[in-house]
Amino acid sequence: MDGDISSPKPTLDSSTTPELLATMLGTSYGKIKYFYYGRSGSRTASFYTRFEINKKNGGMREIYAPNKQLKVLQGRIASLLSNLYKPKKYVTAFVKGTSLYDNAINHTRKSFVFNIDLKDFFPTITFARVRGLLISKPYSLDPSTASVIAHLTTVNGHLPQGAPSSPVISNMICASLDRQLNSLARQHRAQYTRYADDITFSFYCPAAAKTECNTRPFR
């Protein structure tokens, strides 16, 4: 039966034009531009509801929640980008089937645990960084298409916490950082994980006691 044959999932690549992207998102390019150009041609945040929540370590976290129509588009963009980005095992946030528990379990039974939070994680991921990421290898999207995606997924020039597209984009942005920090961890027989803006290293013993460390098992 024809109904049993699934159509191949659309995939972003260097041949994807803004018009084709719009088709993938189930809309038209003209309608897409409505979300990032006002009548005067200027950017607007009118499609978001802004509010603040308490951070776990004090201070306030700024949340931008997109309206229903933009949220649908961002969700579809997130799906398209997820087909391009495959997270490594040390990336434990915003990954299907993983949770904070999966991050913590990597550091159990260790003698020393070092944890840091990246400051202003989402606000430092700018429009330019998102666009630059998408036009660079390994994604190599058409610059015009990358610009459209960056427009649809940023507000006031940065990635908004609260948009469904922000998690996968933040992980894609951090891919190079993750590789470098994981390599550093392996050099020192440490375990590395990142849960969003929460970076953790764990060791069996301090770096000064390398001889003793080398006699202990490391998983």
Side-chain angles (χ1 to χ4, degrees):
M1 294 176 60
D2 293 341
D4 295 331
I5 300 176
S6 299
S7 299
K9 293 182 179 180
T11 302
L12 292 171
D13 57 33
S14 59
S15 66
T16 304
T17 62
E19 291 77 14
L20 181 55
L21 171 66
T23 299
M24 291 178 176
L25 297 178
T27 185
S28 67
Y29 183 44
K31 290 181 179 179
I32 279 180
K33 291 191 290 185
Y34 170 73
F35 288 101
Y36 57 89
Y37 287 122
R39 293 181 179 179
S40 62
S42 61
R43 292 280 288 115
T44 175
S46 61
F47 300 105
Y48 291 85
T49 299
R50 179 191 174 279
F51 58 94
E52 295 182 339
I53 60 174
N54 293 321
K55 292 183 179 180
K56 63 180 181 180
N57 297 324
M60 303 300 294
R61 190 183 303 277
E62 190 175 52
I63 304 297
Y64 280 90
N67 70 7
K68 182 178 180 180
Q69 292 82 4
L70 182 56
K71 184 176 181 179
V72 169
L73 289 179
Q74 290 174 339
R76 291 173 181 172
I77 289 173
S79 180
L80 291 172
L81 294 178
S82 293
N83 292 333
L84 303 180
Y85 169 76
K86 303 304 177 185
K88 301 296 184 180
K89 62 180 181 180
Y90 43 74
V91 178
T92 57
F94 314 134
V95 177
K96 186 177 181 179
T98 65
S99 66
L100 190 58
Y101 171 84
D102 297 284
N103 185 74
I105 198 68
N106 287 283
H107 305 286
T108 57
R109 297 166 55 190
K110 301 296 176 61
S111 300
F112 300 88
V113 178
F114 176 67
N115 180 265
I116 58 174
D117 286 334
L118 297 175
K119 183 179 180 182
D120 298 330
F121 182 58
F122 284 98
T124 56
I125 301 177
T126 62
F127 170 90
R129 292 183 67 189
V130 174
R131 182 181 183 276
L133 167 80
L134 296 176
I135 65 177
S136 301
K137 293 182 178 180
Y139 308 114
S140 304
L141 297 189
D142 179 271
S144 297
T145 302
S147 294
V148 172
I149 294 174
H151 276 307
L152 290 174
T153 58
T154 60
V155 61
N156 297 332
H158 67 265
L159 206 63
Q161 185 163 0
S165 49
S166 293
V168 64
I169 292 175
S170 68
N171 276 344
M172 292 170 72
I173 285 284
C174 288
S176 177
L177 171 68
D178 288 330
R179 287 193 297 269
Q180 295 178 52
L181 292 183
N182 185 62
S183 177
L184 177 65
R186 291 175 62 87
Q187 291 174 30
H188 296 278
R189 297 180 61 80
Q191 186 79 35
Y192 165 76
T193 62
R194 181 179 60 80
Y195 190 87
D197 58 354
D198 189 22
I199 288 177
T200 305
F201 293 93
S202 60
F203 309 79
Y204 282 106
C205 55
K210 288 183 179 179
T211 301
E212 182 182 356
C213 281
N214 290 334
T215 66
R216 298 186 180 185
F218 181 75
R219 65 178 179 87

